[in-house]
Amino acid sequence: MQGFQAKFRVATLVVVAVWIGLAALYGLLKPISNGCVMTYMYPTYIPVSSPEGVSSAKYGLYLYHEGWKKIDFKEHLKKLSGVPVLFIPGNGGSYKQVRSVAAESDRAFQGGPLERAFYQEASLTPEEGGLDFDEAGFQLPNRYTCRLDWFAVDLEGEHSAMDGGILEEHTEYVVNAIHRILDQYKASFDVRAKEGAATSGSLPKSVILVGHSMGGFVARAAIVHPRLRKSAVETVLTLSSPHQSPPVALQPSLGHYFAHVNQQWRKGYEVETTRTGRYVSGPVLSNVVIISISGGYHDYQVRTKLESLDGIVPPTNGFMISSTGMRNVWLSMEHQAILWCNQLVVQVSHTLLSLIDSRTGQPFPDTQKRLAIFTRMLRSGLPKRFDWMMQSHLTSQKPKHVPAACPSNVHWSDDGLERDLYIETTTVTVLAMDGRRRWLDIQKLGSNGKSHFIFVTNLAPCSGVRLHLWPEKGMSTSNLPLSSRILEVTSKMVPIPSGPAPTQIEPGSQTEQPPPSAVFWLGPEDMRGFRFLTISVAPRPTVSGRPPPAASMAVGQFYNPEEGKIELPSLLMLQSIYSHKQDMLVKEDHPLALNLSFAISLGLLPVTLSLKTVGCGVKNSGLQDGEAGNEENGRLCKLRCFPPVALVWDDTSGLHIFPNLYSETIVVDSSSALWSSTWNSEKTAVLLLVDPHCSYKTSIDVSVTAAASRFLLLYSPQVAGVGRKSLLHIYSLVYKAVLQFFLVKALVAITLACLVHPALGLFVLLLSHALCCHSMLCSFLTASFRSHVQRKELVDYKNKGNDGSQQFTSKFDGRSDQILPLEEKSSNSLDSSKSFGDTQLEMFHHRHGMLILHLVAALMFVPSLVAWLQRIGIGESFPWILDSALCTGVILHGICNSKPEFNSFSLSFPGVPSRKMRLDFVYLVAGYYSYLSGLALAPDRVFYPMATIGLLSFALRIVQRRNRDKGEVNLGSRKHSHRH
């Protein structure tokens, strides 16, 4: 029975462990529902001959063609006359990944520009040069005059994120491919001219680069490459590409190459001067515009903070935008989904086509024009920062032109002044398209601090609702004001994602309130000089034989930005707790906009925000009580209250919008702890748009996750104190014992590390550590058994008598030893008070710690080793000198077999007291540096302190050996223990 119970327990344990493992694996691999629509195409890839001097057996260049009909490749190359765009795949990517955006570009060219929406468009900020740019004199093209010719480089699917040498080779080939593309256009133009075919337009002088993941960084590296032709690249668009540093720096050469390229970019935007300060030339990269598009919080491979261009590119030449805040996209997507997500690739295609000047057939040469096109096509009209509460963001941008009026073909019938409504409350509500005009007295309703006006609606601008500012009450009965004194501000409405529309339960029934699709606000500066604000609502269209349209909704309110603030715990409070939950009841007649401010980024502290509608002015019926009455009230409230919306501003990842926010976990993005991170950069502001006529039960749950714990350890002195103790304890165990110097092992490991690959040299050291650990463990077990036998025979000897006439003989080794306490047996250790077993156990711990330490170091080079093995026979090269040098230092660290507390020696100079040099403090500093490097997603920096310790240990061993050969005794390096 006992055997059966034991087997049952083991089986249960195995089943539970397997179930937990499968559940965790499913959680990691299950697809994320991101709302993306799949993109379909008919791809054809036309090979382009490799540039001269470049082997065609390694990499390749292809031209994309969309269509299912078979074509002649040579004839197609002769007809090249569009704008060249080069796609660069990322880590392990394929050139065929260009098919989605290339196919949509072809459809966009044939279908024409997107339909112009009558909404506010984003404009350049003052930092981006918006004050010097003529917004009124610049318009997006009404038609596309030239198509995009998409090229793609075949990089053999190599893992460029794992080796700096691979990145360099990719950069070299991309530079050659750019030159080959430009030469191909000239060759095609000459062939057409020679054959007498019609030639139109001018030859392209530059290539647009589009890179995904590491391909985006390769694009930037190619621009600062010394062999690239001048002005060969002036526009770059990257998709989920790291720019600040590698996602995980697996070896020093990778981080070093990133730092080198970024430094070249910083210099490229500086004015060149002589040493005396005399002007030489303008910035080399002044004509280069780069846009970085991030996938948002669903992209776990490359976080948004790494995709930022801050500190690399000035605001006048580029910006980063998250797909969650991108116009017509509003979605977060995974690292690979950003290549095929139809909402995004369509918007990108139209953006690139809008860059082409209809007069020349080439991209605009003016930097500000190209940046303005990217701004209008990608950004939303919502402000980039959450600072418009105290001052209107429209005023801060200082537009130089009057907002456009509605199209003249939009006409409403005039039903007379008797249909006007005069609003005397600070809140105005529209529940139906009634064809009426509502008058609001700005001076009267905007008093008592309510200086701002916000308007949320699902009515379409112009065709559904129009807004005007009046200096005085109009006396005309015309359908719409035409006086020059009256300003139409309908175009200031900003679109927001509306989320899924409610479905009709049954024919003829009333539908639920659809979510809002636009937000509009005016600040004090916008309303200055006007007395009235009118909201004109169009009549509902009547269509016979069809169900009634969805309910219309519009809510406007004068409010004070300081109202509706919800205070949350500060970081100091979060240091002592691991979660915070705040429940509150938001009653009716509350502000339309509720402000939440978080001290740090929501990527570090995800917030679960729950809004449950508990009232909408409908009291319980006497016939219905309990749960039935609550359900009926909830159904009625859904007909009257619009779904809440959350607008989230984060300094790192930008704008995020969460529609239909009934219960949602707000996560903007998790940010890595970069060295350049500051306290003020980690904050998030949230604006909740909720129906003021409805009451909500709100629950805000802030949980300190693992990422937040890392953040608190980095920035909190109280918590960091705990980390120091545990860190010191770990490193004292790792570097506790001593290693012996083996010349053969050192020569083999260092030779493999320098001439073959660093990982192979570390693997030799690992094998040696493993054998030493096994030997130490066997010695410890032997010593333990011997100790047990000696203790047992000692007890037997004492039980026989205390006359001392009989000598004790060990049965273990057959030797006759005098009886001594076991603790005072001499051992190989320098500490004579320790037994042989204790010493062996200590040595085993040291060997085991060194084994784990070097195993981690070797694993960091394993991806590079795999990539190197894939490249055998196709131009392999030696490792970087930096990798080899640092790996040599790490190997010396492993073979210099000395305890940290014994790595010391005395320094004596004439006339100066002797000083002792120790490595204890160096180990402590190295531990902290390694810890911070891990937080910064740069584990390659751990090699620097490890190599430094290795060189210092090696130098100390040489000094100690030299002193020993001279007969000098370093009393400071030994411990003595005397028992009395």
Side-chain angles (χ1 to χ4, degrees):
M1 188 64 181
Q2 292 182 353
F4 174 76
Q5 292 180 352
K7 293 180 180 179
F8 178 76
R9 292 176 181 176
V10 172
T12 304
L13 180 61
V14 171
V15 170
V16 172
V18 171
W19 180 80
I20 294 176
L22 293 177
L25 185 63
Y26 174 76
L28 292 175
L29 300 180
K30 70 176 181 180
I32 300 175
S33 179
N34 51 22
C36 284
V37 177
M38 181 59 67
T39 303
Y40 298 94
M41 70 292 296
Y42 298 94
T44 301
Y45 306 96
I46 304 173
V48 181
S49 59
S50 299
E52 297 181 0
V54 178
S55 175
S56 60
K58 189 172 184 180
Y59 300 136
L61 179 63
Y62 291 87
L63 171 65
Y64 181 88
H65 172 71
E66 174 67 16
W68 57 273
K69 294 183 179 180
K70 187 177 181 180
I71 61 173
D72 184 87
F73 289 173
K74 293 184 178 180
E75 290 297 325
H76 189 78
L77 287 175
K78 290 181 182 179
K79 299 177 182 179
L80 280 178
S81 59
V83 175
V85 184
L86 178 61
F87 173 78
I88 308 173
N91 176 56
S94 169
Y95 67 96
K96 295 182 179 181
Q97 292 175 324
V98 71
R99 58 186 179 266
S100 296
V101 63
E104 287 299 339
S105 297
D106 187 75
R107 297 190 188 103
F109 173 74
Q110 297 177 8
L114 295 171
E115 182 180 354
R116 302 298 181 200
F118 196 80
Y119 285 111
Q120 177 189 348
E121 292 182 337
S123 58
L124 297 176
T125 62
E127 296 81 7
E128 297 168 344
L131 298 178
D132 301 327
F133 186 71
D134 186 9
E135 297 280 355
F138 173 75
Q139 297 295 331
L140 294 174
N142 295 323
R143 64 186 183 92
Y144 301 140
T145 58
C146 191
R147 69 170 63 245
L148 300 176
D149 294 330
W150 282 88
F151 295 83
V153 288
D154 180 13
L155 301 177
E156 292 293 329
E158 293 179 344
H159 298 284
S160 55
M162 301 177 181
D163 193 287
I166 298 179
L167 279 179
E168 279 193 311
E169 293 189 14
H170 288 183
T171 302
E172 288 277 352
Y173 185 79
V174 167
V175 171
N176 295 327
I178 293 172
H179 297 165
R180 182 67 185 92
I181 291 172
L182 295 176
D183 295 341
Q184 180 64 49
Y185 274 88
K186 186 178 185 305
S188 301
F189 185 87
D190 293 341
V191 170
R192 293 198 305 268
K194 185 177 181 180
E195 295 178 353
T199 57
S200 60
S202 59
L203 287 176
K205 298 180 180 179
S206 64
V207 178
I208 300 175
L209 298 185
V210 176
H212 171 247
S213 188
M214 297 300 292
F217 179 79
V218 171
R220 288 203 305 115
I223 293 178
V224 295
H225 195 277
R227 290 199 305 106
L228 183 69
R229 298 175 188 173
K230 186 178 181 180
S231 302
V233 177
E234 294 184 341
T235 305
V236 182
L237 180 70
T238 65
L239 304 172
S240 295
S241 298
H243 296 295
Q244 297 289 338
S245 63
V248 177
L250 297 173
Q251 57 184 7
S253 61
L254 196 60
H256 179 75
Y257 190 60
F258 263 79
H260 171 71
V261 172
N262 288 338
Q263 183 62 25
Q264 293 297 319
W265 270 75
R266 295 184 185 98
K267 291 182 179 179
Y269 288 107
E270 296 176 355
V271 177
E272 295 187 1
T273 58
T274 62
R275 293 183 177 179
T276 59
R278 186 171 59 87
Y279 175 83
V280 176
S281 64
V284 179
L285 303 179
S286 58
N287 292 331
V288 178
V289 173
I290 176 171
I291 305 300
S292 175
I293 300 177
S294 68
Y297 49 87
H298 281 164
D299 189 350
Y300 299 111
Q301 297 188 35
V302 182
R303 309 310 275 168
T304 301
K305 198 165 190 176
L306 299 179
E307 303 174 48
S308 173
L309 298 173
D310 293 343
I312 302 175
V313 179
T316 55
N317 290 78
F319 59 84
M320 185 207 71
I321 184 172
S322 175
S323 60
T324 57
M326 187 184 297
R327 185 176 175 182
N328 297 332
V329 181
W330 315 108
L331 297 171
S332 177
M333 53 203 69
E334 302 91 335
H335 192 65
Q336 298 295 331
I338 198 171
L339 288 170
W340 57 259
C341 184
N342 191 257
Q343 294 94 322
L344 186 136
V345 296
V346 167
Q347 196 69 20
V348 168
S349 301
H350 284 277
T351 301
L352 295 179
L353 285 168
S354 301
L355 294 173
I356 304 173
D357 190 351
S358 59
R359 296 171 298 178
T360 63
Q362 298 301 321
F364 289 102
D366 185 74
T367 303
Q368 271 195 333
K369 282 188 177 181
R370 281 179 283 139
L371 190 65
I373 291 174
F374 279 116
T375 299
R376 290 194 179 185
M377 293 295 295
L378 299 181
R379 280 181 183 168
S380 166
L382 291 170
K384 292 178 58 179
R385 296 180 177 88
F386 192 66
D387 57 359
W388 57 269
M389 294 182 296
M390 303 307 298
Q391 183 179 4
S392 174
H393 75 288
L394 304 178
T395 304
S396 63
Q397 294 179 357
K398 297 182 180 180
K400 299 181 180 180
H401 61 281
V402 179
C406 289
S408 58
N409 58 352
V410 180
H411 179 76
W412 292 352
S413 61
D414 182 19
D415 294 331
L417 288 178
E418 64 273 12
R419 299 189 62 84
D420 284 359
L421 297 176
Y422 301 93
I423 307 301
E424 298 182 356
T425 59
T426 57
T427 302
V428 56
T429 305
V430 178
L431 294 179
M433 300 180 67
D434 51 12
R436 296 191 177 188
R437 181 170 52 190
R438 290 147 174 88
W439 289 82
L440 294 88
D441 190 335
I442 296 175
Q443 297 182 2
K444 180 180 179 181
L445 299 178
S447 59
N448 299 326
K450 300 181 182 297
S451 57
H452 290 68
F453 179 78
I454 188 170
F455 185 73
V456 179
T457 181
N458 60 7
L459 299 173
C462 292
S463 61
V465 63
R466 300 178 70 169
L467 297 97
H468 298 81
L469 290 172
W470 299 63
E472 58 185 11
K473 180 70 172 67
M475 300 302 297
S476 172
T477 60
S478 59
N479 59 327
L480 284 176
L482 300 177
S483 173
S484 59
R485 301 175 301 165
I486 302 169
L487 179 64
E488 181 169 3
V489 292
T490 311
S491 63
K492 291 187 177 183
M493 296 176 64
V494 181
I496 56 177
S498 58
T503 56
Q504 199 170 29
I505 301 177
E506 57 185 15
S509 64
Q510 185 178 2
T511 59
E512 298 177 2
Q513 277 286 358
S517 60
V519 62
F520 167 90
W521 56 73
L522 295 174
E525 298 295 331
D526 302 313
M527 296 183 287
R528 182 174 299 172
F530 296 96
R531 174 66 187 275
F532 293 97
L533 170 67
T534 59
I535 303 174
S536 303
V537 181
R540 181 188 299 274
T542 56
V543 181
S544 177
R546 293 185 180 181
S552 60
M553 179 276 301
V555 178
Q557 186 181 60
F558 286 92
Y559 76 107
N560 185 347
E562 298 296 331
E563 294 178 355
K565 282 192 174 182
I566 300 178
E567 298 294 337
L568 293 174
S570 63
L571 184 62
L572 295 177
M573 294 177 60
L574 289 174
Q575 291 178 4
S576 58
I577 59 175
Y578 288 93
S579 63
H580 173 81
K581 188 173 183 180
Q582 184 171 346
D583 298 327
M584 65 189 72
L585 179 63
V586 181
K587 299 182 179 180
E588 298 175 11
D589 298 329
H590 55 77
L592 177 60
L594 300 177
N595 303 334
L596 287 77
S597 181
F598 295 86
I600 59 177
S601 173
L602 293 185
L604 300 172
L605 292 180
V607 172
T608 301
L609 180 61
S610 176
L611 292 176
K612 182 179 180 181
T613 306
V614 295
C616 53
V618 179
K619 297 182 179 180
N620 292 335
S621 172
L623 300 178
Q624 292 180 339
D625 297 325
E627 295 184 358
N630 294 333
E631 292 181 359
E632 180 64 20
N633 290 338
R635 188 182 66 84
L636 292 176
C637 289
K638 288 185 177 181
L639 301 177
R640 302 187 59 179
C641 306
F642 68 83
V645 178
L647 308 178
V648 182
W649 282 266
D650 185 76
D651 289 344
T652 299
S653 54
L655 174 67
H656 301 259
I657 300 182
F658 297 85
N660 294 21
L661 187 72
Y662 283 116
S663 180
E664 187 76 24
T665 300
I666 301 181
V667 181
V668 292
D669 198 4
S670 62
S671 304
S672 55
L674 299 181
W675 298 102
S676 58
S677 298
T678 59
W679 172 263
N680 293 329
S681 65
E682 307 294 342
K683 60 182 179 180
T684 304
V686 181
L687 179 68
L688 295 180
L689 302 179
V690 288
D691 199 320
H693 301 88
C694 304
S695 57
Y696 301 89
K697 184 179 180 181
T698 307
S699 176
I700 302 176
D701 188 6
V702 184
S703 299
V704 180
T705 60
S709 301
R710 297 200 309 266
F711 180 85
L712 295 177
L713 283 174
L714 180 62
Y715 290 103
S716 170
Q718 297 179 4
V719 182
V722 181
R724 292 190 186 99
K725 297 178 181 178
S726 59
L727 202 62
L728 183 60
H729 178 66
I730 293 174
Y731 273 85
S732 65
L733 291 178
V734 172
Y735 300 106
K736 190 176 181 181
V738 211
L739 293 176
Q740 294 182 358
F741 182 83
F742 298 102
L743 182 60
V744 176
K745 177 179 65 176
L747 291 177
V748 172
I750 293 176
T751 302
L752 290 176
C754 295
L755 300 181
V756 185
H757 197 279
L760 298 179
L762 289 173
F763 285 155
V764 172
L765 194 63
L766 285 175
L767 179 61
S768 174
H769 285 330
L771 294 176
C772 290
C773 286
H774 180 267
S775 175
M776 291 298 172
L777 181 60
C778 293
S779 299
F780 171 69
L781 294 177
T782 303
S784 299
F785 176 73
R786 180 178 180 179
S787 173
H788 174 73
V789 173
Q790 288 180 344
R791 288 181 181 275
K792 184 176 184 302
E793 294 187 0
L794 178 63
V795 171
D796 295 340
Y797 166 76
K798 289 183 177 181
N799 292 335
K800 290 182 179 181
N802 298 327
D803 54 355
S805 59
Q806 185 177 358
Q807 299 292 328
F808 170 71
T809 302
S810 174
K811 298 180 182 180
F812 180 77
D813 53 6
R815 295 181 299 175
S816 178
D817 297 325
Q818 185 180 1
I819 300 175
L820 291 175
L822 188 62
E823 290 77 5
E824 294 186 6
K825 285 281 187 179
S826 62
S827 66
N828 296 332
S829 173
L830 295 177
D831 188 355
S832 60
S833 66
K834 294 183 179 179
S835 67
F836 177 80
D838 293 338
T839 303
Q840 292 298 101
L841 179 60
E842 181 181 348
M843 293 296 294
F844 171 77
H845 284 319
H846 172 73
R847 295 284 185 178
H848 185 262
M850 296 298 293
L851 175 65
I852 298 300
L853 183 66
H854 291 90
L855 174 63
V856 174
L859 289 179
M860 291 170 64
F861 280 102
V862 164
S864 178
L865 177 63
V866 173
W868 178 81
L869 293 175
Q870 291 178 347
R871 299 157 61 82
I872 291 181
I874 54 174
E876 69 278 4
S877 58
F878 289 142
W880 276 39
I881 298 178
L882 176 66
D883 293 346
S884 300
L886 292 177
C887 195
T888 300
V890 175
I891 292 174
L892 292 177
H893 175 232
I895 60 181
C896 292
N897 228 353
S898 298
K899 291 184 178 182
E901 60 268 23
F902 293 166
N903 269 341
S904 62
F905 64 96
S906 299
L907 293 176
S908 59
F909 298 96
V912 180
S914 177
R915 297 288 183 181
K916 182 185 295 184
M917 179 179 178
R918 300 178 64 89
L919 290 184
D920 295 359
F921 182 74
V922 179
Y923 279 101
L924 179 63
V925 174
Y928 272 112
Y929 183 83
S930 303
Y931 176 69
L932 295 178
S933 299
L935 290 178
L937 301 182
D940 64 293
R941 296 174 183 168
V942 177
F943 287 103
Y944 291 90
M946 289 175 63
T948 303
I949 292 175
L951 295 176
L952 290 176
S953 301
F954 181 69
L956 289 177
R957 293 287 293 179
I958 294 178
V959 172
Q960 290 175 358
R961 284 178 177 272
R962 187 183 63 179
N963 293 339
R964 186 177 61 184
D965 294 339
K966 292 180 179 180
E968 298 179 4
V969 180
N970 186 6
L971 299 178
S973 64
R974 298 181 61 90
K975 292 184 179 180
H976 301 273
S977 177
H978 301 277
R979 298 269 181 124
H980 300 279

